Amino acid sequence: MSAVPSAAQEESPRNLQFHAHATSTFFTTLLLISFTLLLLFYLRRRRQKLGSVTTLVVSSPAIARDVLKTNDLSLCSRPDIATWRRYSYGSLEVALSPYSPRWVSARRLLVTHFLSPRPVRGLSAAREEEVRTLMNTVAAAAVFGHTVDLSKSLMSLVSCIVCRAVFGKRFAPAGESSMSEIGGVLCLTAEILGGFVAGDYFPWARRWLNAVTGVHGRLERSFKEWDDLFEREIKERERAGTGSSDDGTYASVLMRLVREEQSNKEGGLTRDAVKAFLWVKTTYRPNIGELRNPI
């Protein structure tokens, strides 16, 4: 005759689960309290505000003159933004990199070889062709009564123009005004750059904050996609050799400058610097006025 389990024996597994859950909750709460106390102690020792960012407020024309003219070299630098620093291969470009002799050299190269009237006029045919492609796409949609998202179409137009200027190719189906294959990478990059990065406001905890919030992982994935694209384009031009014609695109001009520096044994323009310039030019988005009269 089998023994009938008592009520206490039936409840024992439930009691064990309850005690295990209570123990886990206790240790979790203890860890949170300990972390908070350590954080407050650390901030008190350093006498810093949580998430503070040094800011200069200019409240009069006289102070603005001192900041922008008299003391411009002391106050003209850029903030140290983790995402931008990664994308620019350690601040090797011009747009938001801190002021330094290297920045001055990079700016001189940019103005001399890319922003003068001659290279801009040299790419006018590519811009006109992309505008005609967009107009043909819109006209074909009108014939069949299809709606057209002009905002998306204009973004596709700019994407194709930039790709033609930087790499000499469209990265999009021939004869169509559509977003290129790097459209997804561009959207993710814009999302990362425009998002809130806690590590920029908590420099002392930047590494683990960016890891916990997922910024580091998304940034590294996006950066690798860009780096693979740039490496592919650079190797394509290296395989073409020094005798290949310079088509005037940003990538070709940069590779020509690299070869010239190597022949002169200067080596100031590194491979990473080339990629940083390519990234800035590829992600740059001009407005409609610049499309009419680009500089």
Side-chain angles (χ1 to χ4, degrees):
M1 183 175 182
S2 61
V4 179
S6 63
Q9 290 176 332
E10 291 180 350
E11 292 294 325
S12 59
R14 187 177 304 174
N15 291 337
L16 289 176
Q17 293 178 0
F18 171 78
H19 288 300
H21 178 72
T23 303
S24 176
T25 304
F26 171 76
F27 280 110
T28 302
T29 305
L30 182 62
L31 286 175
L32 290 175
I33 294 175
S34 301
F35 174 76
T36 304
L37 292 176
L38 287 174
L39 179 61
L40 293 176
F41 176 76
Y42 178 82
L43 293 175
R44 185 176 181 182
R45 288 285 302 273
R46 292 177 61 95
R47 295 182 179 179
Q48 293 183 349
K49 291 182 180 181
L50 188 64
S52 61
V53 177
T54 302
T55 304
L56 178 65
V57 179
V58 179
S59 57
S60 69
I63 298 178
R65 187 180 302 109
D66 289 338
V67 170
L68 301 176
K69 184 176 181 181
T70 307
N71 300 295
D72 60 328
L73 290 181
S74 301
L75 301 170
C76 68
S77 193
R78 282 82 170 168
D80 183 20
I81 302 175
T83 53
W84 193 274
R85 185 174 64 252
R86 183 57 170 146
Y87 279 127
S88 62
Y89 293 82
S91 302
L92 294 180
E93 46 71 55
V94 176
L96 284 180
S97 297
Y99 181 84
S100 64
R102 183 174 61 185
W103 182 90
V104 175
S105 177
R107 180 180 182 274
R108 186 183 303 113
L109 182 148
L110 181 67
V111 172
T112 302
H113 296 281
F114 300 115
L115 298 183
S116 59
R118 181 178 178 181
V120 172
R121 287 195 300 267
L123 296 171
S124 60
R127 293 192 295 270
E128 293 174 358
E129 181 181 346
E130 292 301 328
V131 172
R132 284 195 299 269
T133 301
L134 172 62
M135 295 176 65
N136 292 336
T137 301
V138 174
V143 170
F144 294 99
H146 297 161
T147 58
V148 177
D149 187 340
L150 287 180
S151 297
K152 184 178 180 180
S153 298
L154 289 175
M155 287 299 297
S156 301
L157 169 66
V158 174
S159 177
C160 290
I161 290 176
V162 170
C163 288
R164 292 280 296 272
V166 177
F167 303 109
K169 59 182 70 174
R170 302 184 77 243
F171 294 102
E176 297 181 15
S177 178
S178 59
M179 187 64 72
S180 65
E181 68 180 42
I182 64 174
V185 188
L186 285 169
C187 292
L188 178 58
T189 302
E191 181 181 342
I192 293 174
L193 291 176
F196 175 75
V197 180
D200 292 335
Y201 297 90
F202 302 85
W204 52 272
R206 171 178 292 171
R207 179 172 298 180
W208 70 266
L209 269 179
N210 289 346
V212 170
T213 56
V215 172
H216 177 75
R218 294 166 62 232
L219 175 61
E220 288 302 315
R221 288 193 299 271
S222 175
F223 173 81
K224 186 179 185 306
E225 290 181 328
W226 284 117
D227 188 74
D228 291 344
L229 170 65
F230 299 146
E231 190 67 25
R232 183 183 70 193
E233 293 297 322
I234 290 174
K235 287 182 178 179
E236 180 179 319
R237 285 159 178 78
E238 288 177 339
R239 287 192 296 267
T242 57
S244 60
S245 59
D246 190 344
D247 55 7
T249 60
Y250 294 103
S252 298
V253 172
L254 286 170
M255 294 308 298
R256 173 172 57 81
L257 294 176
V258 170
R259 291 193 295 268
E260 291 176 357
E261 288 194 357
Q262 289 176 346
S263 62
N264 296 331
K265 297 183 179 180
E266 295 181 3
L269 189 60
T270 64
R271 197 180 193 88
D272 283 348
V274 170
K275 293 179 181 179
F277 274 103
L278 292 177
W279 179 80
V280 170
K281 296 305 298 181
T282 307
T283 56
Y284 171 67
R285 289 294 175 266
N287 57 42
I288 301 302
E290 288 175 306
L291 292 178
R292 290 195 299 265
N293 186 22
I295 58 174

